[in-house]
Amino acid sequence: MRDLRYLRGVTTLAYENERCIGCGNCILVCPHSVFARDGERKVRLADPDGCMECGACA
Amino acid sequence: MAGSKTSVCCGVSSAVAHAPHEKPGYRLLDFVVNFMETPAGSVPQVRTEVTRADRRATIGCRLGIGRDRYRIAPGIYATGKPVADSPVLVTANYKLSFDVLRSHLAGIHAWILVVETNGINVWCAAGKGSFSADEVAKQVVAVGLDKLVTHRRLILPQLAATGVAARQVKKQCGFEVVWGPVHARDIIAFLDGGLQASDAMRRVTFNLAERMKLIPVELTHLGKTTLIVLPALLLLSGISPGLFSIHAALTRGMLAFLAYLLAIVAGTVLAPALLPWLPGRAFSIKGVAIGMAASALLAIRTTGQLTKTEMLALALFIMALSSYLAMNFTGSTPFTSPTGVEKEMRRAIPAQAAGGLIAAVLWVSAGFL
Ligand code: SF4
């Protein structure tokens, strides 16, 4: 949804690096490509403002 | 005519085709072509074409007619002639979801496991919690899926992830969840690609066609409101130095009603259609922008009929209402977050209400000038 963006900096999405086991499921299920791989065993928030708080990744 | 087989009152007896699967007390659904016997019982085979009757029902559904009862029976269905290692695709029991899925399975031998979501589509049901791990596991057990297939894999639409915890499904029924693509149109590519979805298949889109499809339902919601708004506008427009003027109520009332219609077109039709091109991120701002354009149109079309105060009142009215209607659309998009919507509403609703109130005051006082 690169052409359609909603408000900036409001999402409640939080990523806890220490608890991430790098399973990559969040990358699979997110409908807005919010996550990206960050090395072998972690992910990072590539686009937090794209999050619509659908809860799929939780 | 004695002896003739085409007697008028009894119909053409020889032309009645025997329906092979008819059963007293049941009606065969027209998307079922046959039944196949399996270790888990008799399974309906469904056609992969969507017929004219399906399409008609879809249009009715989009217009909000019988929308709530558009469900099919949960359970197991088949496309083609699936066997023990054929894929199992899971979907909601909203008929449109089911129709879209089967229409993209031409030439595919697959099982379709329909779960009970009370006739609600995949994403909404997942969000509401009815498309859940419990429900999926329940249907897997109920249909005896372990007798039907030798593998232990379910392909779920990606958007079901909001409601379905894959781990729980595995724990409760032993089947592993594989996340399929967002759209059924990519399902064949997904199956052919070894159950891998490309990035594009994983992303939700909201293009012009997808936005337009939502407009009719939004419009039908406004019917009842209009029944209240019309008399209210006539009443406000009729207030005059001599208490009430029916003439003013009708002439000014019609202009106010025209403004109301313009606001609806702006906020409910044009704002969603032009969404990416309207300025601002907040929908209420986009609504004001398109409302401004609608006001300009009204000013051009009614030159000479309205005083400056009246025009100002109607422009404010259009912008406030269009802003409000456009903001309502945040509830129907696949990219607006609840936290964002809440923040927007907290700021916009007071402004819209103030705009509407000032418009009403200006409109009434203009009747005395
Ligand atoms: S809540 Fe939904 S949109 Fe937001 S990051 Fe998670 S999966 Fe993506």
Side-chain angles (χ1 to χ4, degrees):
Chain A
M1 196 82 45
R2 269 186 228 102
D3 49 341
L4 283 167
R5 307 307 304 265
Y6 197 43
L7 309 186
R8 250 178 289 236
V10 294
T11 184
T12 53
L13 177 70
Y15 166 65
E16 295 172 41
N17 192 58
E18 317 78 56
R19 294 178 59 191
C20 177
I21 56 165
C23 71
N25 275 330
C26 58
I27 301 177
L28 287 186
V29 297
C30 177
H32 293 294
S33 305
V34 168
F35 299 94
R37 261 227 171 268
D38 192 17
E40 277 281 287
R41 341 208 47 198
K42 296 284 172 185
V43 300
R44 68 190 162 83
L45 290 177
D47 184 17
D49 280 340
C51 173
M52 61 166 295
E53 301 171 349
C54 68
C57 55
Chain B
M1 288 287 271
S4 160
K5 282 198 173 154
T6 52
S7 91
V8 175
C9 69
C10 304
V12 190
S13 57
S14 58
V16 175
H18 171 64
H21 297 290
E22 69 185 355
K23 225 178 184 183
Y26 290 85
R27 202 178 67 195
L28 192 64
L29 292 168
D30 54 6
F31 57 78
V32 174
V33 280
N34 209 345
F35 286 85
M36 58 189 285
E37 289 313 317
T38 72
S42 163
V43 174
Q45 286 172 299
V46 300
R47 61 175 94 242
T48 52
E49 314 89 56
V50 172
T51 61
R52 205 164 345 132
D54 293 324
R55 223 163 279 146
R56 232 187 345 255
T58 302
I59 292 170
C61 185
R62 291 256 182 248
L63 291 173
I65 306 163
R67 219 173 137 76
D68 304 329
R69 294 185 306 277
Y70 213 47
R71 73 182 274 283
I72 60 165
I76 192 85
Y77 297 79
T79 61
K81 284 202 174 58
V83 289
D85 64 353
S86 298
V88 179
L89 307 168
V90 183
T91 192
N93 76 336
Y94 179 45
K95 184 161 180 288
L96 285 193
S97 307
F98 181 73
D99 282 352
V100 170
L101 176 60
R102 68 189 168 88
S103 74
H104 286 99
L105 291 174
I108 297 286
H109 305 292
W111 305 104
I112 302 179
L113 183 70
V114 174
V115 300
E116 175 67 90
T117 60
N118 308 311
I120 309 279
N121 73 50
V122 172
W123 210 4
C124 294
K128 284 185 179 150
S130 54
F131 199 148
S132 62
D134 288 354
E135 175 56 28
V136 172
K138 192 175 122 198
Q139 290 300 336
V140 166
V141 174
V143 306
L145 198 64
D146 55 345
K147 289 190 274 237
L148 208 56
V149 293
T150 47
H151 63 76
R152 293 291 175 263
R153 211 170 34 236
L154 302 170
I155 298 171
L156 264 70
Q158 184 192 319
L159 294 184
T162 293
V164 178
R167 268 169 294 126
Q168 289 299 322
V169 176
K170 174 99 190 213
K171 206 155 105 194
Q172 290 181 33
C173 67
F175 276 74
E176 177 202 351
V177 169
V178 176
W179 298 112
V182 166
H183 292 288
R185 59 167 184 260
D186 295 322
I187 197 82
I188 291 189
F190 176 79
L191 293 174
D192 288 349
L195 306 190
Q196 294 288 323
S198 69
D199 262 8
M201 287 185 209
R202 294 242 168 265
R203 216 164 296 150
V204 162
T205 57
F206 200 40
N207 59 34
L208 183 63
E210 287 164 328
R211 297 196 298 273
M212 298 301 278
K213 273 186 209 155
L214 298 176
I215 294 172
V217 176
E218 303 272 330
L219 281 175
T220 50
H221 286 336
L222 290 171
K224 239 185 249 146
T225 315
T226 306
L227 287 182
I228 302 166
V229 168
L230 183 57
L233 288 178
L234 291 178
L235 201 69
L236 278 183
S237 306
I239 300 173
S240 69
L243 205 56
F244 193 83
S245 147
I246 295 189
H247 175 74
L250 290 178
T251 49
R252 298 179 74 224
M254 275 305 122
L255 286 166
F257 189 63
L258 180 65
Y260 172 74
L261 293 181
L262 275 170
I264 287 180
V265 172
T268 308
V269 180
L270 295 177
L274 305 176
L275 206 57
W277 304 288
L278 290 173
R281 287 192 173 217
F283 284 37
S284 47
I285 304 280
K286 292 175 186 284
V288 169
I290 192 72
M292 227 180 261
S295 306
L297 185 73
L298 181 72
I300 294 166
R301 297 302 304 224
T302 57
T303 28
Q305 294 178 55
L306 290 166
T307 66
K308 281 216 178 70
T309 317
E310 283 179 325
M311 188 55 228
L312 185 64
L314 292 188
L316 260 177
F317 172 53
I318 292 177
M319 285 189 275
L321 184 55
S322 158
S323 171
Y324 177 77
L325 293 170
M327 191 178 70
N328 268 351
F329 197 60
T330 54
S332 312
T333 84
F335 69 100
T336 44
S337 61
T339 313
V341 173
E342 210 191 296
K343 180 179 176 192
E344 167 162 12
M345 288 189 19
R346 244 193 339 258
R347 290 176 175 186
I349 290 184
Q352 290 154 353
L357 202 65
I358 296 171
V361 170
L362 283 176
W363 185 247
V364 172
S365 51
F368 290 84
L369 294 177

